[in-house]
Amino acid sequence: MFSRVFIFLIGAMFIFYQVIVIEDFYIAELMVESNISLEAETVLSILNKTGVNVQDSGGNDHTVIFSSSELVAECLIIGKESNCSCSKGYSWSNQVCYSHNCCRDAPCTENVTHITPLCIAQTPVFINGTVLTTAIWDTTKTNKLKAELEKLNGLLSLNITGPRTTSSVTADFEAALNVRLDNSMLQQIVTTLEIQLGGVIWVDTQGMVTIEGPLGSVCYKSEPKLICKFGEATASAGWNMTTQFERFELNNGSVVKLEYNCTTEEHKSCVAVRLSNVTGKWAGTYECGFTLGSLRHTARAQLNVALLPDVITMTIDPLTVDCPSPTTSISVTVKAIISRCEECYDVSWKPSHGDVITARPPQNTSRGTVYIFMETIPCKKTADPHFVNITFKNKREQEKSAQVDIPVIYAGDAFCEEDEVNGEVWPKAPAGNTVLNRTCPIGRTGYKSRTCNSPEWQDVYSYCVKEELRKVVNAADGFKKGLGATQEVANLVFEGLKNSSTDNSGFEEDMADIFASISVLNLMADGSQNVVLEEEVFPNLVTSASKMLNSTWSTVNESTRYLMSSKYLESVESLVKHIKVNRSSGFNSENLDLKFCSGSDCNLTVFDIGVNLNQTDGIMKTVAVKNIMDKLKNSYKNVEHTSLLVSATLTNNSDSSLGIQLKFPKDHDQSPEAYCVFWDIKKDDWSDVGCFLNTSDDNHTVCECNHLTSFSVLFAKSDISTKTLDMITNVGLGVSICSLVIFLFIEFLVWAAVVKSNLSHFRHTAIVNIATFLLLANCSFLASTEPKILSDTWCFVFTVCKHLFFLAMFSWMLCLSIMLVHQLIFVFSPLRKRVFMFLSSILGYVCPILIVGSSYVYYRYTDKPYYNPETCWLHYEKLLVGSAHAFFIPVGTVILANLFSMVVVIVTLLKSSVPDSSKANDKETAKSIIKVLVFLTPVFGLTWIIGFCLLLLDSNNIMFTIANYTFTILNSFQGLFLLITGCISEQKVREELLKLIMGKSKGNSESTKNLTSTTYTKDK
């Protein structure tokens, strides 16, 4: 009996039928058995016109029609004999090949009609392999290799290129197939060959993996995704990216995200890579790979990015437009330099005072592609700035712009003269302008900057970095992003950092290298959170990090030094925490001592600092650092730093609570008052939260903390706050407050009797205001003597009150001294009452409010501390830095003015005694001068001069202690002195007070001169 079997593939891609609901598709293989006279074309024509009823998984019936059909295989069966052939574009399936030995395109005479699938669509597959044997390669090995590889299904060609040399033990081979292989069968062939050849075989395939990616170019800064799928489960999967000159392994980073959760029943292995904010750097060939045993299956796809310049460098010539007169104009050459790129952009210029202009064709130079524009700057003065903008547009209509400002010096403007520093000319520049010089010494790249602070130039800041170090920075940046983020690359980065690190540096270029080196540490610290690094990087890391601390970093400004030191510390701590430790016990260098400890009780020493930590599991990593403390910001109380800092981290630990004890060595010349602190990375400053002092003696300071980070000990610069001083202060303030209340009550009682003239009115008005504000200031001071028990709100309120009331007190002191000097100098031009009250109100009320308000607003909106919560007083950082100078400067000014007034009074007394030079008159003059000193000193606040002297004296000097006690006594009892000199010592006040007490008049007793009149009138 003769029969013919046709096998048709019906479904998507090849032959498929489609239901009425267009979203549902079905794929099937259809076998048609007929007599020998039936042709395949007849069956195809019938199928294309026929509808079929199918039932879905929900049991619902659907009528579908065939949209297309294709012949897959045709078999001719004569009795028990059969002859099957695959149609063009199809090859025998792996099951047919390996079970019936039909592996080529020739017809198969075995009975295979029952196998599904019989034929499969052809897919190009390429195999590359390397054989490494223990003996020299010979012809026998070639024949064995060829015999096994020819068993592969769909083999089209085989090329064995080994051995590599006549005495080589290595051979290579290449094979081309048209069928996706069964991975287990390929592995079986490889294993057999390894046994036969006595060696190791590595095999890479292409074509067995399905890769999906974007079609065409993706947008600049977009987030493309590529997916690779493989039918069988594998041991590992990953991605590589290849450019024209480099090949990188991809790992998780700030740009690269690998995803493994895309497997399906059909594809048991899957890996996807998602990129974020892609630039031209990420354009290239992406290769995914799945590894199982000695087999690695790969696929490649090209990712094209619609490019835009990653960096646009703009320059102007001349660097500054110097206008000689308003009627002239000056031409400026503007250049925009980008990396050379084959992709063409639509480029346009836009000057600040003009229309958009299409750019002329660029010039290709060794520095890159250069666009040139000529701009004419009119010298007529205008408030609007001059600039030129350039815009690049790519083929996806995306744009990127850059702008360069053109500084102009108009006639009469402040400027800095042309200057030459180390052979480099800095041109004439307007005030406030920063000039960039992109010329660096040979072997360095970057720029230098200098700011004009008219009429003087500021220091030159160099950002010229060694070319080799710049390469290390770029490699570290790629590592952070996930490009080449491997252990090998990390080793190279830290080795390059060690070789490029500056030793014992301090010059401008050296500081640029240190800044770049800290950037490398920061980048690698971020990258180490995604890629596990092994301990072999520690030696180079510790050596390079130590070298960075050998200089003082004095050539950069304070804020930059604080930023650099904080980043350095944070990066080193993060790297030490995330680098995996296996067998090592530690590493040591000049400025870093790193040690590890595992176990239930860790007790070790780093740079003479004892560290003890009780934990149940995990590894404690401890690093002590020298020469970093003087570079870190320190606004914690009035303290000085030690020379050491220790950082402790703990990995692989699940304890919810920890306690660490640190034993710091102590210098004998350090203050006995110590503070246990840690570096707070959120505030970039020291904090004592969670740390407390255990014990402290002449040799050691022991601290305990309930958390892990970077620790140190700070010592008080001087132990100025003692129990004796605190007692004197509290008692004195209490006495002063009582005295001032009594003083104001007496003034209230005798006011009408003693204020008979303008002069007496001026004096008593000023002294009552002085007493009132001193009373309020003392009450605020007494209420804030224990800042720790106060909330932040109350601490702030008391700080403002003390600031305001003390300033108002000194302002009225100034009013009194000005009035006194005026009366002495302008004897025949007395001050009118209305004028005095108006001017005194402005000076005594308005000025203090303005000073306090403006200082608070300034520090509030510049994110600088207005007050210190540790003391409930204004913040003092150093000379001319800190809100405390909003108090020191006005008070210092008042004290100097009052001191001048006292000198004027004394000189006046001396002049008036010259005509009568008798000894009796000399004695009277001396008595008058003593009275002036005694009575005016507390009224004029001259005792505060001692407070300013405390800022200049060494705290270890005996004079400091004497001045400190003197200042405390005189100023805490200032209210009592004011009661004595301003009230009790004045006879008019005493008489009126006695009248009120005795209830009778003493008659018309001769009145003596009051304090003020005594100072400028003398008995004849």
Side-chain angles (χ1 to χ4, degrees):
M1 176 180 179
F2 298 90
S3 64
R4 179 172 289 178
V5 175
F6 302 101
I7 298 178
F8 301 91
L9 186 66
I10 307 169
M13 298 296 293
F14 303 107
I15 305 169
F16 63 92
Y17 53 82
Q18 182 177 349
V19 297
I20 301 298
V21 182
I22 196 167
E23 289 83 0
D24 294 337
F25 293 90
Y26 297 86
I27 301 175
E29 190 174 77
L30 177 65
M31 178 182 292
V32 179
E33 186 173 351
S34 67
N35 57 37
I36 195 170
S37 62
L38 183 63
E39 297 294 335
E41 289 75 9
T42 305
V43 178
L44 290 174
S45 62
I46 295 172
L47 290 175
N48 290 334
K49 298 177 182 178
T50 304
V52 179
N53 290 327
V54 298
Q55 194 175 72
D56 61 19
S57 58
N60 301 313
D61 293 328
H62 300 282
T63 300
V64 298
I65 60 173
F66 300 125
S67 61
S68 64
S69 56
E70 186 175 351
L71 181 65
V72 173
E74 182 177 0
C75 293
L76 178 63
I77 303 174
I78 303 175
K80 294 183 179 181
E81 297 180 1
S82 66
N83 189 308
C84 295
S85 300
C86 293
S87 299
K88 186 177 180 180
Y90 290 86
S91 293
W92 300 113
S93 66
N94 289 319
Q95 184 177 357
V96 172
C97 174
Y98 299 127
S99 61
H100 295 83
N101 200 27
C102 294
C103 301
R104 301 293 182 267
D105 290 339
C108 182
T109 58
E110 299 291 328
N111 185 12
V112 294
T113 56
H114 61 283
I115 298 176
T116 303
L118 183 62
C119 297
I120 57 177
Q122 292 180 350
T123 303
V125 175
F126 301 95
I127 298 177
N128 293 287
T130 299
V131 184
L132 177 62
T133 64
T134 57
I136 297 177
W137 192 266
D138 55 23
T139 307
T140 303
K141 291 182 175 61
T142 301
N143 293 333
K144 289 180 180 180
L145 179 61
K146 182 177 181 181
E148 286 297 323
L149 293 177
E150 285 182 344
K151 295 178 182 179
L152 295 172
N153 185 25
L155 182 65
L156 297 177
S157 63
L158 175 62
N159 182 25
I160 300 176
T161 58
R164 295 180 179 176
T165 63
T166 55
S167 60
S168 175
V169 296
T170 304
D172 301 315
F173 62 89
E174 299 173 350
L177 303 85
N178 57 13
V179 174
R180 287 185 175 177
L181 299 174
D182 180 72
N183 188 76
S184 60
M185 186 61 188
L186 180 58
Q187 183 63 60
Q188 181 180 335
I189 293 174
V190 170
T191 303
T192 301
L193 283 170
E194 287 179 336
I195 296 173
Q196 292 179 357
L197 302 176
V200 180
I201 301 178
W202 295 278
V203 175
D204 284 351
T205 73
Q206 292 184 39
M208 296 182 64
V209 175
T210 301
I211 187 168
E212 301 173 4
L215 299 177
S217 298
V218 300
C219 290
Y220 188 81
K221 295 288 186 179
S222 63
E223 297 188 357
K225 182 178 181 180
L226 295 90
I227 304 175
C228 268
K229 302 175 182 178
F230 185 62
E232 301 180 40
T234 55
S236 63
W239 283 89
N240 293 293
M241 194 269 278
T242 304
T243 62
Q244 185 178 1
F245 302 107
E246 296 178 292
R247 177 181 173 87
F248 303 96
E249 183 176 330
L250 301 182
N251 270 308
N252 284 318
S254 60
V255 173
V256 178
K257 291 292 182 292
L258 300 182
E259 302 173 2
Y260 299 92
N261 57 351
C262 51
T263 58
T264 61
E265 287 190 12
E266 182 181 0
H267 300 101
K268 296 181 174 58
S269 295
C270 181
V271 60
V273 58
R274 184 187 299 275
L275 307 175
S276 59
N277 296 319
V278 294
T279 61
K281 182 179 182 179
W282 296 90
T285 301
Y286 284 75
E287 178 184 280
C288 61
F290 297 92
T291 302
L292 183 61
S294 58
L295 305 181
R296 184 171 181 268
H297 306 288
T298 63
R300 295 188 181 98
Q302 184 70 26
L303 179 67
N304 297 313
V305 180
L307 300 180
L308 281 173
D310 293 335
V311 179
I312 305 173
T313 303
M314 301 194 71
T315 63
I316 58 173
D317 185 22
L319 294 176
T320 302
V321 174
D322 186 8
C323 288
S325 67
T327 58
T328 59
S329 297
I330 297 177
S331 295
V332 177
T333 302
V334 183
K335 293 183 180 180
I337 307 171
I338 64 173
S339 298
R340 297 190 66 170
C341 176
E342 296 180 359
E343 184 168 332
C344 295
Y345 303 111
D346 292 331
V347 184
S348 60
W349 296 94
K350 173 66 173 68
S352 54
H353 301 87
D355 298 326
V356 177
I357 302 171
T358 302
R360 293 180 295 176
Q363 302 174 0
N364 288 322
T365 66
S366 58
R367 296 180 59 192
T369 301
V370 181
Y371 293 83
I372 301 176
F373 178 73
M374 300 298 297
E375 169 69 344
T376 300
I377 304 297
C379 285
K380 184 177 181 181
K381 190 169 185 178
T382 175
D384 297 328
H386 291 276
F387 61 86
V388 174
N389 183 285
I390 187 171
T391 301
F392 294 84
K393 181 187 292 186
N394 64 17
K395 58 187 178 184
R396 298 295 294 270
E397 299 298 316
Q398 293 179 285
E399 295 182 354
K400 186 172 185 179
S401 299
Q403 178 178 302
V404 61
D405 295 326
I406 303 176
V408 180
I409 303 176
Y410 297 104
D413 285 355
F415 62 90
C416 294
E417 291 284 359
E418 181 180 298
D419 189 26
E420 183 175 341
V421 179
N422 297 327
E424 295 176 336
V425 177
W426 296 90
K428 185 177 179 181
N433 182 59
T434 299
V435 179
L436 298 182
N437 183 350
R438 299 190 179 275
T439 302
C440 288
I442 297 175
R444 292 181 175 270
T445 62
Y447 63 93
K448 295 181 181 180
S449 69
R450 198 179 187 193
T451 300
C452 170
N453 189 12
S454 177
E456 301 294 331
W457 284 98
Q458 292 184 358
D459 292 335
V460 177
Y461 287 98
S462 174
Y463 301 91
C464 294
V465 179
K466 292 178 183 176
E467 292 179 351
E468 292 301 318
L469 183 56
R470 179 69 67 186
K471 294 177 182 177
V472 176
V473 173
N474 293 336
D477 181 64
F479 188 96
K480 175 188 174 182
K481 293 176 179 177
L483 189 66
T486 63
Q487 178 68 35
E488 293 73 22
V489 172
N491 292 341
L492 293 174
V493 167
F494 286 115
E495 183 179 359
L497 184 61
K498 182 191 71 172
N499 296 334
S500 302
S501 294
T502 302
D503 200 357
N504 295 321
S505 57
F507 298 106
E508 295 171 2
E509 287 80 9
D510 295 332
M511 284 310 304
D513 290 341
I514 293 177
F515 192 88
S517 298
I518 294 175
S519 298
V520 172
L521 294 180
N522 191 36
L523 292 168
M524 295 303 292
D526 291 340
S528 66
Q529 299 182 37
N530 297 309
V531 179
V532 178
L533 298 180
E534 299 295 334
E535 64 180 11
E536 59 194 77
V537 304
F538 268 128
N540 289 331
L541 166 61
V542 171
T543 302
S544 57
S546 176
K547 285 184 178 182
M548 298 177 200
L549 300 177
N550 283 336
S551 74
T552 60
W553 301 4
S554 58
T555 56
V556 296
N557 58 42
E558 193 174 68
S559 60
T560 302
R561 185 165 62 253
Y562 290 160
L563 174 64
M564 291 171 60
S565 58
S566 179
K567 282 295 180 184
Y568 173 92
L569 184 60
E570 183 179 350
S571 301
V572 170
E573 183 178 305
S574 179
L575 282 167
V576 170
K577 179 179 180 180
H578 290 105
I579 295 175
K580 185 179 178 181
V581 176
N582 295 323
R583 300 174 302 276
S584 176
S585 60
F587 301 90
N588 181 271
S589 64
E590 181 181 356
N591 293 311
L592 269 74
D593 189 4
L594 174 62
K595 290 185 180 179
F596 312 120
C597 176
S598 60
S600 59
D601 187 10
C602 278
N603 196 344
L604 48 82
T605 301
V606 284
F607 280 152
D608 297 328
I609 303 175
V611 181
N612 180 268
L613 177 68
N614 294 322
Q615 87 270 9
T616 58
D617 55 5
I619 301 175
M620 183 179 73
K621 304 175 181 178
T622 306
V623 56
V625 186
K626 291 181 180 178
N627 293 330
I628 185 67
M629 293 293 292
D630 59 336
K631 301 173 177 64
L632 290 166
K633 181 181 179 181
N634 181 14
S635 58
Y636 182 87
K637 299 184 178 180
N638 186 30
V639 294
E640 59 186 7
H641 61 78
T642 57
S643 60
L644 293 173
L645 174 147
V646 61
S647 172
T649 59
L650 188 62
T651 58
N652 303 326
N653 181 269
S654 57
D655 292 347
S656 58
S657 60
L658 294 169
I660 187 172
Q661 187 180 83
L662 304 110
K663 190 175 183 180
F664 289 89
K666 185 177 180 182
D667 297 333
H668 293 288
D669 58 348
Q670 289 175 330
S671 168
E673 185 174 3
Y675 300 92
C676 296
V677 293
F678 75 96
W679 183 254
D680 191 336
I681 60 175
K682 294 181 179 179
K683 299 192 303 182
D684 279 343
D685 207 341
W686 296 105
S687 173
D688 57 7
V689 177
C691 294
F692 63 91
L693 180 68
N694 185 313
T695 58
S696 182
D697 54 32
D698 292 339
N699 298 317
H700 293 91
T701 299
V702 180
C703 296
E704 292 187 2
C705 297
N706 57 18
H707 54 81
L708 299 180
T709 182
S710 297
F711 306 99
S712 190
V713 174
L714 304 177
F715 293 95
K717 291 184 178 179
S718 57
D719 193 14
I720 61 175
S721 180
T722 65
K723 291 183 178 180
T724 304
L725 285 176
D726 291 342
M727 183 184 67
I728 293 174
T729 300
N730 293 332
V731 172
L733 288 175
V735 172
S736 288
I737 290 172
C738 295
S739 300
L740 291 170
V741 171
I742 295 172
F743 173 84
L744 292 174
F745 182 70
I746 292 174
E747 284 288 333
F748 173 75
L749 293 177
V750 304
W751 181 270
V754 299
V755 179
K756 298 294 186 179
S757 65
N758 284 349
L759 187 62
S760 61
H761 181 270
F762 298 160
R763 179 181 180 277
H764 282 275
T765 298
I767 207 165
V768 164
N769 276 280
I770 292 171
T772 302
F773 286 116
L774 180 58
L775 174 63
L776 294 174
N778 284 344
C779 290
S780 301
F781 194 98
L782 195 61
S784 60
T785 52
E786 294 292 336
K788 292 184 178 180
I789 65 174
L790 297 175
S791 65
D792 288 342
T793 302
W794 278 112
C795 188
F796 167 72
V797 169
F798 287 133
T799 301
V800 173
C801 289
K802 288 185 285 186
H803 191 190
L804 177 63
F805 296 150
F806 276 123
L807 283 183
M809 178 191 74
F810 277 99
S811 298
W812 279 101
M813 289 179 177
L814 181 61
C815 292
L816 184 61
S817 69
I818 292 174
M819 182 271 295
L820 176 59
V821 171
H822 182 274
Q823 292 300 111
L824 285 173
I825 297 176
F826 304 101
V827 178
F828 301 104
S829 301
L831 194 64
R832 289 184 296 172
K833 182 177 181 180
R834 181 177 296 179
V835 174
F836 172 79
M837 292 305 299
F838 176 75
L839 296 178
S840 297
S841 297
I842 293 177
L843 187 59
Y845 300 135
V846 178
C847 287
I849 293 174
L850 289 178
I851 293 173
V852 173
S854 59
S855 62
Y856 170 72
V857 170
Y858 171 78
Y859 285 98
R860 172 69 175 81
Y861 287 97
T862 56
D863 291 330
K864 297 179 181 178
Y866 170 72
Y867 73 103
N868 186 351
E870 302 287 343
T871 59
C872 289
W873 181 233
L874 300 174
H875 179 75
Y876 178 83
E877 189 168 335
K878 63 176 185 177
L879 186 62
L880 298 180
V881 178
S883 60
H885 293 83
F887 176 78
F888 293 152
I889 294 175
V891 169
T893 304
V894 171
I895 290 175
L896 288 176
N898 291 350
L899 187 61
F900 171 77
S901 300
M902 182 179 288
V903 171
V904 171
V905 172
I906 294 173
V907 170
T908 303
L909 289 174
L910 291 173
K911 284 184 178 180
S912 61
S913 64
V914 172
D916 297 324
S917 58
S918 64
K919 292 184 179 180
N921 285 330
D922 288 344
K923 290 181 179 179
E924 289 298 322
T925 301
K927 288 181 181 179
S928 299
I929 293 175
I930 292 173
K931 285 183 180 180
V932 169
L933 293 174
V934 171
F935 287 109
L936 290 187
T937 295
V939 176
F940 281 1
L942 299 182
T943 56
W944 284 72
I945 295 176
I946 304 174
F948 284 91
C949 293
L950 287 173
L951 298 175
L952 304 176
L953 292 174
D954 185 1
S955 60
N956 296 322
N957 194 324
I958 186 63
M959 290 303 300
F960 179 87
T961 303
I962 296 173
N964 193 21
Y965 275 86
T966 304
F967 175 78
T968 303
I969 294 171
L970 292 178
N971 285 280
S972 59
F973 286 93
Q974 189 174 2
L976 175 62
F977 299 145
L978 196 63
L979 174 65
I980 295 172
T981 59
C983 184
I984 297 176
S985 64
E986 186 173 351
Q987 189 163 348
K988 276 188 178 181
V989 175
R990 291 201 307 270
E991 289 177 354
E992 291 300 322
L993 188 61
L994 287 174
K995 286 180 183 179
L996 293 174
I997 295 175
M998 304 298 295
K1000 61 181 180 178
S1001 174
K1002 288 189 174 183
N1004 297 324
S1005 62
E1006 184 182 354
S1007 299
T1008 60
K1009 301 292 183 182
N1010 59 29
L1011 170 66
T1012 305
S1013 60
T1014 302
T1015 60
Y1016 61 86
T1017 305
K1018 190 174 183 301
D1019 294 337
K1020 299 293 184 181

